Amino acid sequence: MSVSFNTKHLTPFIRDDEFAAIYPQVAAAHEQLEAKTGPGNDFLGWMYLPRDYDKEEFARIQAAAEKIRSDSDVLVVAGIGGSYLGARAVVEAVKGVYHNELEEGLKVYFCGNSISPTALNDIIALCKGKRFSINVISKSGTTTETSLAFRVLRKLLEEEVGVEEANKRIYATTDRARGTLKQLADSQGWPTFVVPDDVGGRYSVLSAVGLLPIAAAGIDIAELMQGAADAMERFSVLSPDNDAYKYAAARNILYRKGKQIEILESYEPNFALMNEWYKQLFGESEGKDNKGLFPASCIFSTDLHSMGQFIQEGSRNMFETIVNVKTPAQDLYIEELEGNFDGLNFLANQNMSVVNRKAMEGTILAHTDGGVPQLLIDVDDLSAYNVGYLIYFFWRACACSGYLLGVNPFNQPGVESYKKNMFALLGKPGYESLTAELEAKLK
Ligand code: PA5
Protein backbone atom coordinates (compact mmCIF):
# COMPACT_ATOMS: atom_id res chain seq x y z
CA MET A 1 0.00 0.00 0.00
CA SER A 2 1.30 3.45 -0.90
CA VAL A 3 0.63 5.01 2.48
CA SER A 4 -0.26 3.27 5.71
CA PHE A 5 -0.50 4.15 9.36
CA ASN A 6 1.66 1.84 11.43
CA THR A 7 0.88 1.46 15.13
CA LYS A 8 3.48 -1.18 15.99
CA HIS A 9 5.44 1.13 18.31
CA LEU A 10 2.33 2.51 19.99
CA THR A 11 1.45 -0.42 22.24
CA PRO A 12 3.14 0.98 25.36
CA PHE A 13 1.03 4.16 25.00
CA ILE A 14 -2.37 3.25 23.52
CA ARG A 15 -4.30 0.06 24.18
CA ASP A 16 -6.53 -1.53 21.52
CA ASP A 17 -9.61 -0.91 23.66
CA GLU A 18 -8.83 2.83 23.59
CA PHE A 19 -9.08 2.78 19.80
CA ALA A 20 -12.36 0.87 20.15
CA ALA A 21 -13.66 3.39 22.70
CA ILE A 22 -13.07 6.40 20.47
CA TYR A 23 -14.43 4.74 17.34
CA PRO A 24 -18.05 5.95 17.79
CA GLN A 25 -16.68 9.52 17.80
CA VAL A 26 -14.69 8.79 14.65
CA ALA A 27 -17.89 7.45 13.09
CA ALA A 28 -19.73 10.63 14.10
CA ALA A 29 -16.98 12.78 12.59
CA HIS A 30 -17.14 10.75 9.38
CA GLU A 31 -20.90 11.17 9.28
CA GLN A 32 -20.57 14.95 9.77
CA LEU A 33 -18.11 15.14 6.89
CA GLU A 34 -20.07 12.98 4.47
CA ALA A 35 -23.46 14.52 5.30
CA LYS A 36 -21.92 18.01 5.39
CA THR A 37 -23.52 18.76 8.73
CA GLY A 38 -20.45 19.74 10.75
CA PRO A 39 -19.01 23.22 11.36
CA GLY A 40 -17.30 24.68 8.31
CA ASN A 41 -19.35 22.49 5.98
CA ASP A 42 -19.18 25.06 3.18
CA PHE A 43 -15.44 24.28 2.87
CA LEU A 44 -15.62 20.60 2.00
CA GLY A 45 -14.79 20.98 -1.70
CA TRP A 46 -11.50 19.10 -1.14
CA MET A 47 -13.25 15.87 -0.13
CA TYR A 48 -13.94 14.61 -3.65
CA LEU A 49 -11.77 17.10 -5.56
CA PRO A 50 -9.33 14.41 -6.81
CA ARG A 51 -12.28 12.87 -8.67
CA ASP A 52 -14.48 15.87 -9.41
CA TYR A 53 -11.89 18.48 -10.40
CA ASP A 54 -12.51 20.69 -13.41
CA LYS A 55 -11.00 18.66 -16.29
CA GLU A 56 -11.12 21.56 -18.73
CA GLU A 57 -9.17 23.78 -16.35
CA PHE A 58 -6.75 20.92 -15.67
CA ALA A 59 -5.93 20.78 -19.39
CA ARG A 60 -5.47 24.57 -19.44
CA ILE A 61 -3.08 24.27 -16.50
CA GLN A 62 -1.03 21.64 -18.34
CA ALA A 63 -0.94 23.82 -21.47
CA ALA A 64 0.06 26.92 -19.49
CA ALA A 65 2.81 24.95 -17.75
CA GLU A 66 4.13 23.77 -21.11
CA LYS A 67 4.09 27.33 -22.44
CA ILE A 68 5.96 28.63 -19.39
CA ARG A 69 8.54 25.84 -19.72
CA SER A 70 9.08 26.70 -23.37
CA ASP A 71 9.16 30.51 -23.24
CA SER A 72 10.68 31.25 -19.80
CA ASP A 73 13.90 30.69 -17.90
CA VAL A 74 12.26 31.47 -14.56
CA LEU A 75 8.77 31.12 -13.12
CA VAL A 76 8.32 33.22 -10.03
CA VAL A 77 5.35 32.19 -7.91
CA ALA A 78 3.90 34.85 -5.58
CA GLY A 79 1.72 33.58 -2.74
CA ILE A 80 1.65 32.87 0.98
CA GLY A 81 0.15 30.32 3.38
CA GLY A 82 -2.21 28.00 1.58
CA SER A 83 -1.40 29.82 -1.63
CA TYR A 84 2.26 28.87 -1.33
CA LEU A 85 3.19 25.98 0.94
CA GLY A 86 1.57 23.06 -0.88
CA ALA A 87 3.07 23.86 -4.27
CA ARG A 88 6.59 24.27 -2.94
CA ALA A 89 6.22 21.24 -0.67
CA VAL A 90 5.25 18.96 -3.56
CA VAL A 91 7.95 20.33 -5.86
CA GLU A 92 10.69 19.80 -3.27
CA ALA A 93 9.41 16.40 -2.10
CA VAL A 94 9.26 15.04 -5.65
CA LYS A 95 12.17 16.83 -7.31
CA GLY A 96 14.44 17.62 -4.36
CA VAL A 97 15.45 20.87 -2.75
CA TYR A 98 18.20 21.47 -5.31
CA HIS A 99 16.02 20.95 -8.39
CA ASN A 100 16.73 24.47 -9.67
CA GLU A 101 20.49 23.99 -9.45
CA LEU A 102 20.58 20.42 -10.74
CA GLU A 103 18.23 20.62 -13.71
CA GLU A 104 18.50 22.37 -17.02
CA GLY A 105 15.55 24.49 -18.11
CA LEU A 106 12.96 26.37 -16.09
CA LYS A 107 13.79 27.51 -12.57
CA VAL A 108 10.87 27.88 -10.16
CA TYR A 109 11.19 30.37 -7.29
CA PHE A 110 8.65 31.36 -4.65
CA CYS A 111 8.17 34.87 -3.31
CA GLY A 112 5.54 36.95 -1.53
CA ASN A 113 5.72 34.58 1.43
CA SER A 114 7.30 37.17 3.75
CA ILE A 115 7.73 40.94 3.95
CA SER A 116 11.51 40.66 3.94
CA PRO A 117 13.09 43.15 1.52
CA THR A 118 16.18 40.94 1.44
CA ALA A 119 14.15 37.98 0.23
CA LEU A 120 12.39 40.02 -2.44
CA ASN A 121 15.62 41.63 -3.64
CA ASP A 122 17.11 38.16 -4.06
CA ILE A 123 14.14 37.13 -6.22
CA ILE A 124 14.49 40.31 -8.29
CA ALA A 125 18.16 39.47 -8.85
CA LEU A 126 17.20 35.94 -9.94
CA CYS A 127 14.69 37.33 -12.48
CA LYS A 128 16.53 40.36 -13.87
CA GLY A 129 17.74 39.87 -17.40
CA LYS A 130 16.07 36.45 -17.64
CA ARG A 131 12.94 35.50 -19.57
CA PHE A 132 10.56 35.24 -16.64
CA SER A 133 6.88 34.61 -16.02
CA ILE A 134 4.82 35.26 -12.90
CA ASN A 135 2.13 33.15 -11.29
CA VAL A 136 0.35 35.31 -8.71
CA ILE A 137 -1.81 33.24 -6.37
CA SER A 138 -4.29 34.74 -3.93
CA LYS A 139 -7.82 33.63 -3.19
CA SER A 140 -8.76 36.94 -1.60
CA GLY A 141 -6.62 38.94 -4.01
CA THR A 142 -5.70 41.36 -1.25
CA THR A 143 -3.04 39.60 0.85
CA THR A 144 -0.35 42.16 1.66
CA GLU A 145 2.72 39.94 1.28
CA THR A 146 1.60 38.55 -2.09
CA SER A 147 0.32 41.86 -3.48
CA LEU A 148 3.49 43.72 -2.52
CA ALA A 149 5.80 41.18 -4.17
CA PHE A 150 3.57 41.00 -7.24
CA ARG A 151 3.48 44.78 -7.61
CA VAL A 152 7.29 44.90 -7.69
CA LEU A 153 7.76 41.92 -10.02
CA ARG A 154 5.05 42.99 -12.41
CA LYS A 155 6.75 46.39 -12.77
CA LEU A 156 10.09 44.67 -13.40
CA LEU A 157 8.53 42.43 -16.03
CA GLU A 158 6.81 45.36 -17.77
CA GLU A 159 10.09 47.31 -17.78
CA GLU A 160 11.97 44.38 -19.26
CA VAL A 161 9.56 43.18 -21.97
CA GLY A 162 6.87 45.88 -22.26
CA VAL A 163 3.28 45.81 -21.06
CA GLU A 164 1.88 43.81 -23.96
CA GLU A 165 4.39 40.95 -23.62
CA ALA A 166 4.21 41.10 -19.81
CA ASN A 167 0.48 40.51 -19.99
CA LYS A 168 1.18 37.21 -21.77
CA ARG A 169 3.56 36.15 -19.00
CA ILE A 170 1.38 36.77 -15.96
CA TYR A 171 -0.89 33.99 -14.73
CA ALA A 172 -3.37 34.77 -11.97
CA THR A 173 -4.84 32.11 -9.68
CA THR A 174 -7.67 33.61 -7.67
CA ASP A 175 -11.39 33.65 -6.96
CA ARG A 176 -13.66 32.61 -9.84
CA ALA A 177 -15.46 35.97 -9.99
CA ARG A 178 -14.64 38.31 -7.12
CA GLY A 179 -11.73 40.38 -5.87
CA THR A 180 -9.26 42.96 -7.05
CA LEU A 181 -6.87 40.41 -8.53
CA LYS A 182 -9.63 38.87 -10.64
CA GLN A 183 -10.68 42.32 -11.85
CA LEU A 184 -7.10 43.29 -12.65
CA ALA A 185 -6.46 40.00 -14.45
CA ASP A 186 -9.57 40.38 -16.58
CA SER A 187 -8.75 43.98 -17.43
CA GLN A 188 -5.20 43.04 -18.51
CA GLY A 189 -6.15 39.80 -20.24
CA TRP A 190 -4.00 37.55 -18.03
CA PRO A 191 -4.86 33.85 -18.09
CA THR A 192 -6.73 33.08 -14.88
CA PHE A 193 -7.19 29.92 -12.85
CA VAL A 194 -9.64 29.31 -10.07
CA VAL A 195 -9.37 28.81 -6.32
CA PRO A 196 -12.69 27.02 -5.73
CA ASP A 197 -15.08 28.76 -3.31
CA ASP A 198 -15.47 25.68 -1.17
CA VAL A 199 -11.75 24.90 -0.84
CA GLY A 200 -9.78 26.70 1.89
CA GLY A 201 -6.14 27.70 1.43
CA ARG A 202 -4.64 24.79 3.34
CA TYR A 203 -6.73 22.33 1.31
CA SER A 204 -5.96 23.95 -2.05
CA VAL A 205 -2.74 22.30 -3.25
CA LEU A 206 -4.61 20.00 -5.65
CA SER A 207 -6.50 22.92 -7.21
CA ALA A 208 -4.90 25.37 -9.67
CA VAL A 209 -3.18 26.94 -6.64
CA GLY A 210 -0.70 24.09 -6.48
CA LEU A 211 -1.13 22.43 -9.84
CA LEU A 212 0.20 25.22 -12.07
CA PRO A 213 3.55 25.70 -10.26
CA ILE A 214 3.89 21.95 -9.77
CA ALA A 215 3.26 21.23 -13.46
CA ALA A 216 5.58 24.07 -14.48
CA ALA A 217 8.29 22.42 -12.37
CA GLY A 218 7.95 19.40 -14.65
CA ILE A 219 5.98 17.11 -12.34
CA ASP A 220 3.26 14.88 -13.77
CA ILE A 221 0.15 16.38 -12.16
CA ALA A 222 -2.04 13.57 -13.53
CA GLU A 223 0.03 11.15 -11.41
CA LEU A 224 -0.30 13.43 -8.40
CA MET A 225 -4.09 13.56 -8.80
CA GLN A 226 -4.30 9.80 -9.38
CA GLY A 227 -2.51 9.19 -6.07
CA ALA A 228 -4.91 11.53 -4.31
CA ALA A 229 -7.91 9.92 -6.04
CA ASP A 230 -6.85 6.44 -4.97
CA ALA A 231 -6.33 7.68 -1.42
CA MET A 232 -9.75 9.35 -1.57
CA GLU A 233 -11.37 6.00 -2.47
CA ARG A 234 -9.64 4.31 0.43
CA PHE A 235 -9.89 6.92 3.17
CA SER A 236 -13.46 8.08 2.51
CA VAL A 237 -14.84 4.82 3.85
CA LEU A 238 -15.83 4.42 7.50
CA SER A 239 -14.00 1.45 8.93
CA PRO A 240 -11.76 0.69 11.93
CA ASP A 241 -9.13 -0.07 9.25
CA ASN A 242 -9.30 3.41 7.72
CA ASP A 243 -5.72 4.49 8.40
CA ALA A 244 -6.40 8.22 8.09
CA TYR A 245 -9.11 7.96 10.76
CA LYS A 246 -6.94 5.70 12.90
CA TYR A 247 -4.17 8.30 12.81
CA ALA A 248 -6.70 10.99 13.79
CA ALA A 249 -7.91 8.76 16.63
CA ALA A 250 -4.36 8.13 17.90
CA ARG A 251 -3.62 11.87 17.91
CA ASN A 252 -6.78 12.58 19.86
CA ILE A 253 -6.18 9.80 22.39
CA LEU A 254 -2.66 11.08 23.04
CA TYR A 255 -3.93 14.67 23.28
CA ARG A 256 -6.40 13.61 25.97
CA LYS A 257 -3.53 11.96 27.82
CA GLY A 258 -1.74 15.29 28.08
CA LYS A 259 0.40 15.26 24.97
CA GLN A 260 0.32 18.80 23.64
CA ILE A 261 2.80 18.65 20.77
CA GLU A 262 3.04 16.49 17.68
CA ILE A 263 6.40 16.49 15.91
CA LEU A 264 6.18 15.39 12.29
CA GLU A 265 9.48 13.89 11.23
CA SER A 266 11.18 12.52 8.19
CA TYR A 267 14.65 11.20 7.52
CA GLU A 268 14.53 12.81 4.05
CA PRO A 269 15.55 16.52 3.88
CA ASN A 270 13.42 16.84 0.72
CA PHE A 271 10.42 16.46 3.03
CA ALA A 272 11.13 19.69 4.94
CA LEU A 273 8.54 21.78 3.08
CA MET A 274 5.96 18.98 3.41
CA ASN A 275 6.55 19.40 7.15
CA GLU A 276 5.73 23.10 6.78
CA TRP A 277 2.61 22.28 4.77
CA TYR A 278 1.49 19.83 7.49
CA LYS A 279 2.06 22.51 10.16
CA GLN A 280 -0.28 24.92 8.40
CA LEU A 281 -2.85 22.20 7.72
CA PHE A 282 -3.08 21.01 11.31
CA GLY A 283 -2.16 24.28 13.03
CA GLU A 284 -4.84 26.37 11.33
CA SER A 285 -7.38 23.57 11.49
CA GLU A 286 -7.05 22.66 15.17
CA GLY A 287 -5.46 25.55 17.02
CA LYS A 288 -8.53 27.44 18.23
CA ASP A 289 -10.93 27.73 21.16
CA ASN A 290 -7.86 27.37 23.43
CA LYS A 291 -7.41 23.81 22.20
CA GLY A 292 -5.31 21.77 19.83
CA LEU A 293 -2.04 19.92 19.44
CA PHE A 294 0.85 22.18 18.53
CA PRO A 295 2.26 20.91 15.22
CA ALA A 296 6.05 20.94 15.17
CA SER A 297 8.50 19.28 12.81
CA CYS A 298 12.00 17.89 12.53
CA ILE A 299 14.23 16.47 9.85
CA PHE A 300 16.31 13.58 11.16
CA SER A 301 19.06 12.74 11.62
CA THR A 302 19.85 16.49 11.20
CA ASP A 303 17.73 17.60 14.15
CA LEU A 304 18.78 14.71 16.35
CA HIS A 305 21.88 16.86 16.80
CA SER A 306 19.78 19.79 18.01
CA MET A 307 16.32 18.69 19.19
CA GLY A 308 17.26 15.10 20.00
CA GLN A 309 18.26 15.90 23.57
CA PHE A 310 14.93 17.55 24.35
CA ILE A 311 12.90 14.80 22.76
CA GLN A 312 14.82 12.12 24.65
CA GLU A 313 14.81 13.75 28.09
CA GLY A 314 12.89 17.03 28.16
CA SER A 315 9.24 17.74 29.08
CA ARG A 316 7.11 14.65 28.38
CA ASN A 317 4.40 16.59 26.54
CA MET A 318 4.92 15.37 22.99
CA PHE A 319 4.63 12.51 20.57
CA GLU A 320 6.37 11.92 17.27
CA THR A 321 4.88 11.01 13.91
CA ILE A 322 7.52 9.67 11.56
CA VAL A 323 6.91 9.76 7.83
CA ASN A 324 8.88 6.67 6.92
CA VAL A 325 9.85 6.95 3.24
CA LYS A 326 10.65 3.32 2.47
CA THR A 327 12.58 3.85 -0.77
CA PRO A 328 14.65 7.01 -1.24
CA ALA A 329 14.76 8.68 -4.64
CA GLN A 330 18.47 7.86 -4.84
CA ASP A 331 20.83 5.56 -2.98
CA LEU A 332 24.58 5.56 -2.46
CA TYR A 333 26.80 2.51 -2.07
CA ILE A 334 29.34 2.86 0.74
CA GLU A 335 32.71 1.47 -0.27
CA GLU A 336 35.40 0.06 1.96
CA LEU A 337 38.22 2.54 2.71
CA GLU A 338 41.75 1.21 2.76
CA GLY A 339 43.30 1.82 6.19
CA ASN A 340 39.86 2.62 7.69
CA PHE A 341 41.19 6.04 8.74
CA ASP A 342 37.75 7.35 9.68
CA GLY A 343 36.76 4.15 11.49
CA LEU A 344 33.67 3.85 9.30
CA ASN A 345 34.40 0.55 7.57
CA PHE A 346 31.73 -1.06 9.75
CA LEU A 347 29.29 0.82 7.48
CA ALA A 348 30.92 -0.30 4.23
CA ASN A 349 29.57 -2.61 1.52
CA GLN A 350 25.98 -1.54 1.87
CA ASN A 351 23.71 1.24 0.74
CA MET A 352 23.52 4.48 2.72
CA SER A 353 19.73 4.05 2.92
CA VAL A 354 20.34 1.08 5.23
CA VAL A 355 22.32 3.32 7.59
CA ASN A 356 19.52 5.91 7.49
CA ARG A 357 17.00 3.17 8.30
CA LYS A 358 19.03 1.89 11.25
CA ALA A 359 19.27 5.46 12.54
CA MET A 360 15.49 5.67 12.37
CA GLU A 361 14.94 2.33 14.09
CA GLY A 362 17.46 3.14 16.81
CA THR A 363 15.86 6.52 17.41
CA ILE A 364 12.36 5.07 17.59
CA LEU A 365 13.47 2.60 20.25
CA ALA A 366 15.40 5.24 22.23
CA HIS A 367 12.52 7.74 22.16
CA THR A 368 10.05 5.02 23.13
CA ASP A 369 12.26 4.26 26.13
CA GLY A 370 12.24 8.00 26.81
CA GLY A 371 8.44 7.91 27.09
CA VAL A 372 7.63 9.57 23.74
CA PRO A 373 4.90 7.78 21.74
CA GLN A 374 5.98 6.90 18.20
CA LEU A 375 3.46 6.99 15.34
CA LEU A 376 4.60 5.80 11.93
CA ILE A 377 3.26 6.74 8.52
CA ASP A 378 4.83 4.38 5.98
CA VAL A 379 5.14 5.76 2.44
CA ASP A 380 6.56 3.71 -0.43
CA ASP A 381 8.50 6.64 -1.90
CA LEU A 382 8.17 10.33 -2.72
CA SER A 383 6.88 9.91 -6.27
CA ALA A 384 4.20 12.33 -7.47
CA TYR A 385 1.63 9.54 -7.06
CA ASN A 386 2.56 8.81 -3.46
CA VAL A 387 2.85 12.47 -2.49
CA GLY A 388 -0.70 12.97 -3.83
CA TYR A 389 -1.76 9.95 -1.80
CA LEU A 390 -0.13 11.34 1.33
CA ILE A 391 -1.77 14.73 0.87
CA TYR A 392 -5.21 13.18 0.84
CA PHE A 393 -4.32 10.98 3.85
CA PHE A 394 -3.44 14.10 5.86
CA TRP A 395 -6.53 15.99 4.66
CA ARG A 396 -8.93 13.26 5.82
CA ALA A 397 -7.06 12.77 9.06
CA CYS A 398 -7.05 16.49 9.77
CA ALA A 399 -10.75 16.98 9.11
CA CYS A 400 -11.60 14.02 11.35
CA SER A 401 -9.15 15.24 14.01
CA GLY A 402 -10.79 18.66 14.07
CA TYR A 403 -14.23 17.22 14.62
CA LEU A 404 -12.91 14.83 17.31
CA LEU A 405 -11.49 17.89 19.03
CA GLY A 406 -14.81 19.71 18.76
CA VAL A 407 -13.58 22.65 16.67
CA ASN A 408 -14.38 23.99 13.21
CA PRO A 409 -11.40 22.64 11.24
CA PHE A 410 -12.09 24.83 8.23
CA ASN A 411 -11.88 28.40 9.52
CA GLN A 412 -8.95 30.50 10.74
CA PRO A 413 -10.39 33.52 12.58
CA GLY A 414 -7.20 34.05 14.55
CA VAL A 415 -5.05 35.07 11.60
CA GLU A 416 -6.85 38.41 11.30
CA SER A 417 -5.52 39.84 14.58
CA TYR A 418 -1.96 40.50 13.43
CA LYS A 419 -3.21 41.96 10.14
CA LYS A 420 -5.46 44.46 11.95
CA ASN A 421 -2.57 45.67 14.12
CA MET A 422 -0.13 45.78 11.21
CA PHE A 423 -2.52 47.85 9.10
CA ALA A 424 -3.19 50.24 11.99
CA LEU A 425 0.53 50.71 12.62
CA LEU A 426 1.13 51.29 8.91
CA GLY A 427 -1.63 53.91 8.74
CA LYS A 428 -3.94 52.04 6.37
CA PRO A 429 -7.11 54.10 5.82
CA GLY A 430 -9.94 52.81 7.99
CA TYR A 431 -7.73 51.75 10.92
CA GLU A 432 -7.13 55.24 12.41
CA SER A 433 -8.85 54.62 15.75
CA LEU A 434 -6.55 51.69 16.55
CA THR A 435 -3.30 53.40 15.54
CA ALA A 436 -2.88 55.66 18.59
CA GLU A 437 -3.84 52.90 21.00
CA LEU A 438 -1.24 50.50 19.55
CA GLU A 439 1.47 53.13 19.30
CA ALA A 440 1.00 53.95 22.98
CA LYS A 441 1.49 50.27 23.83
CA LEU A 442 4.74 50.18 21.85
CA LYS A 443 6.28 53.20 23.64
O1 PA5 B 1 -5.26 29.01 4.88
C1 PA5 B 1 -5.45 30.17 4.65
O2 PA5 B 1 -6.59 30.61 4.45
C2 PA5 B 1 -4.31 31.16 4.59
O3 PA5 B 1 -3.09 30.57 4.83
C3 PA5 B 1 -4.28 31.75 3.20
O4 PA5 B 1 -4.04 30.73 2.26
C4 PA5 B 1 -3.23 32.82 3.07
O5 PA5 B 1 -3.45 33.82 4.02
C5 PA5 B 1 -3.24 33.44 1.69
O6 PA5 B 1 -4.49 33.96 1.39
P1 PA5 B 1 -4.88 34.40 -0.06
O7 PA5 B 1 -4.88 33.18 -0.93
O8 PA5 B 1 -6.24 35.00 0.06
O9 PA5 B 1 -3.85 35.40 -0.51
Side-chain angles (χ1 to χ4, degrees), residues 149-320:
F150 177 56
R151 164 195 281 228
V152 172
L153 288 162
R154 180 185 168 201
K155 183 162 176 282
L156 177 67
L157 186 60
E158 289 178 351
E159 282 167 2
E160 298 223 341
V161 298
V163 174
E164 195 183 334
E165 181 58 23
N167 283 343
K168 295 181 191 151
R169 292 174 174 274
I170 297 174
Y171 302 81
T173 306
T174 188
D175 189 88
R176 187 182 304 279
R178 292 181 302 258
T180 43
L181 182 56
K182 175 66 180 158
Q183 278 171 18
L184 187 61
D186 286 347
S187 71
Q188 301 300 308
W190 303 333
T192 58
F193 300 93
V194 173
V195 191
D197 278 346
D198 55 357
V199 174
R202 55 192 177 273
Y203 279 84
S204 69
V205 57
L206 300 181
S207 74
V209 169
L211 293 178
L212 180 55
I214 292 167
I219 292 170
D220 185 342
I221 54 173
E223 279 290 301
L224 183 76
M225 290 302 266
Q226 189 58 53
D230 290 350
M232 181 198 79
E233 291 295 337
R234 183 167 148 220
F235 299 130
S236 303
V237 174
L238 179 64
S239 149
D241 299 325
N242 180 326
D243 278 0
Y245 287 163
K246 199 160 184 191
Y247 168 51
R251 298 176 84 252
N252 194 269
I253 292 167
L254 292 170
Y255 178 67
R256 291 186 205 190
K257 290 183 177 188
K259 303 298 177 192
Q260 293 157 354
I261 300 165
E262 177 182 39
I263 312 175
L264 194 78
E265 296 160 357
S266 170
Y267 285 69
E268 286 299 333
N270 288 345
F271 203 79
L273 255 290
M274 284 294 291
N275 279 349
E276 298 306 312
W277 173 83
Y278 141 88
K279 285 195 266 192
Q280 187 204 7
L281 178 65
F282 281 87
E284 277 191 353
S285 300
E286 294 193 309
K288 52 198 70 163
D289 306 341
N290 298 323
K291 293 195 270 194
L293 279 161
F294 182 82
S297 69
C298 283
I299 292 293
F300 286 168
S301 67
T302 316
D303 295 329
L304 287 172
H305 296 258
S306 57
M307 298 302 290
Q309 169 61 34
F310 195 110
I311 297 169
Q312 188 69 48
E313 296 182 341
S315 311
R316 302 296 73 187
N317 59 354
M318 67 187 70
F319 64 90
E320 294 169 272

Side-chain angles (χ1 to χ4, degrees), residues 86-99:
R88 184 164 172 192
V90 172
V91 170
E92 294 196 359
V94 177
K95 305 209 73 168
V97 291
Y98 299 115
H99 64 99

Side-chain angles (χ1 to χ4, degrees), residues 80-83 137-141 143 146 201-202 280 284 412:
I80 194 167
S83 294
I137 308 174
S138 178
K139 186 174 187 178
S140 62
T143 302
T146 308
R202 55 192 177 273
Q280 187 204 7
E284 277 191 353
Q412 56 285 330

